[in-house]
């Protein structure tokens, strides 16, 4: 993703420059425009982007917790994150945690993390029994910690579905689609 953003920025900057040159000198060829050379290599740009990510993550880790969950609640969140989105990376798992928290904070669902997760027919790993047997990964625990400090890119999502895993169209027919993250579509 960082690489894509860096390339997009470089292309945008290049074409913006070209556009301005064309406006000013509409008769010139590309060679005659005296274009600036790109001074940073792709590796240098990647390194700078990674450093920026580290700063951002460091700032997040210094933030105080905004939630005060019990160890059992954190365990439940890490398990559901891992069992639902273990292949979706830390943000994908954090989005699952956010859906649970959004539900706890909603009047439409139970008031506790445990009750939301154990609510009948809501999370397939709970329904099929794999939820209790899975040991959460380190990444799942990091996703929980991230949300505990206030991370939220969920847009208020209360539901998600992996269309690869189900043929159900209930979500599309009854909810408002918000966004897609890897294999999951999120709804409100």
């Amino acid at each position: 993703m960082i690489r894509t953003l860096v390339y997009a920025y470089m292309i945008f900057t290049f074409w913006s420059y070209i556009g301005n040159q064309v406006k000013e000198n509409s008769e010139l060829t590309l060679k005659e425009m005296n274009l600036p050379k790109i001074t940073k290599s792709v590796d240098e740009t990647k390194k700078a982007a990674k450093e920026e990510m580290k700063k951002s993550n460091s700032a997040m880790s210094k933030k105080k917790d905004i939630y005060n969950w019990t160890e059992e609640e954190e365990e439940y969140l890490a398990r559901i994150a891992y069992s639902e989105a273990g292949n979706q990376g830390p943000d994908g798992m954090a989005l699952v945690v956010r859906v649970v928290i959004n539900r706890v904070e909603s009047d439409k669902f139970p008031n506790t993390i445990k009750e939301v997760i154990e609510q009948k027919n809501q999370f397939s790993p709970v329904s099929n029994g794999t939820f209790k047997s899975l040991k959460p990964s380190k990444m799942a625990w990091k996703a929980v910690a991230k949300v505990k400090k206030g991370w939220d890119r969920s847009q208020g999502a209360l539901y998600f579905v992996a269309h690869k895993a189900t043929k159900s169209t209930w979500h599309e027919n009854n909810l408002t689609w918000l966004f897609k993250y890897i294999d999951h579509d999120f709804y409100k």
Side-chain angles (χ1 to χ4, degrees):
M1 179 157 168
I2 292 171
R3 178 183 290 168
T4 305
L5 292 173
V6 169
Y7 289 142
Y9 176 76
M10 290 170 65
I11 290 168
F12 173 78
T13 304
F14 175 78
W15 285 111
S16 294
Y17 182 83
I18 295 295
N20 288 336
Q21 291 295 316
V22 168
K23 282 179 194 171
E24 292 172 15
N25 310 298
S26 58
E27 300 291 315
L28 296 177
T29 65
L30 284 177
K31 219 176 203 182
E32 294 169 323
M33 284 187 207
N34 193 22
L35 297 174
K37 292 185 179 178
I38 297 175
T39 56
K40 286 188 177 182
S41 70
V42 172
D43 289 336
E44 289 173 321
T45 307
K46 274 190 213 175
K47 186 177 178 181
K50 283 182 181 180
E51 288 299 318
E52 193 59 37
M53 287 277 290
K54 281 182 186 177
K55 286 179 189 174
S56 173
N57 289 338
S58 175
M60 180 60 88
S61 68
K62 290 177 184 173
K63 277 181 131 182
K64 291 185 178 180
D65 294 344
I66 65 166
Y67 294 104
N68 189 21
W69 300 320
T70 66
E71 284 182 35
E72 180 186 34
E73 289 171 323
E74 288 185 17
E75 172 92 20
Y76 261 67
L77 290 169
R79 281 181 187 276
I80 200 66
Y82 183 64
S83 60
E84 285 283 7
N87 65 338
Q88 312 279 313
D91 284 354
M93 287 189 272
L95 284 167
V96 169
V97 172
R98 275 305 330 171
V99 166
V100 172
I101 300 310
N102 292 346
R103 287 183 177 195
V104 170
E105 294 172 348
S106 167
D107 294 337
K108 299 176 184 177
F109 295 92
N111 297 347
T112 70
I113 291 168
K114 186 175 181 178
E115 288 173 327
V116 164
I117 291 172
E118 291 181 345
Q119 191 175 14
K120 189 174 181 181
N121 298 323
Q122 294 300 303
F123 296 98
S124 56
V126 175
S127 300
N128 69 26
T130 58
F131 171 78
K132 295 268 184 181
S133 63
L134 288 175
K135 182 181 176 191
S137 67
K138 287 180 182 177
M139 200 179 302
W141 286 104
K142 286 181 181 180
V144 171
K146 191 175 187 174
V147 172
K148 191 174 185 178
K149 293 186 182 304
W151 183 93
D152 187 359
R153 295 193 182 142
S154 70
Q155 299 178 30
L158 295 170
Y159 301 87
F160 62 89
V161 65
H163 286 293
K164 286 165 65 172
T166 183
K167 293 180 182 177
S168 171
T169 58
W170 182 86
H171 294 82
E172 300 89 72
N173 296 334
N174 296 286
L175 302 169
T176 302
W177 182 85
L178 298 171
F179 62 95
K180 182 177 187 71
Y181 187 84
I182 304 180
D183 293 334
H184 286 139
D185 285 284
F186 290 82
Y187 297 86
K188 201 173 194 178

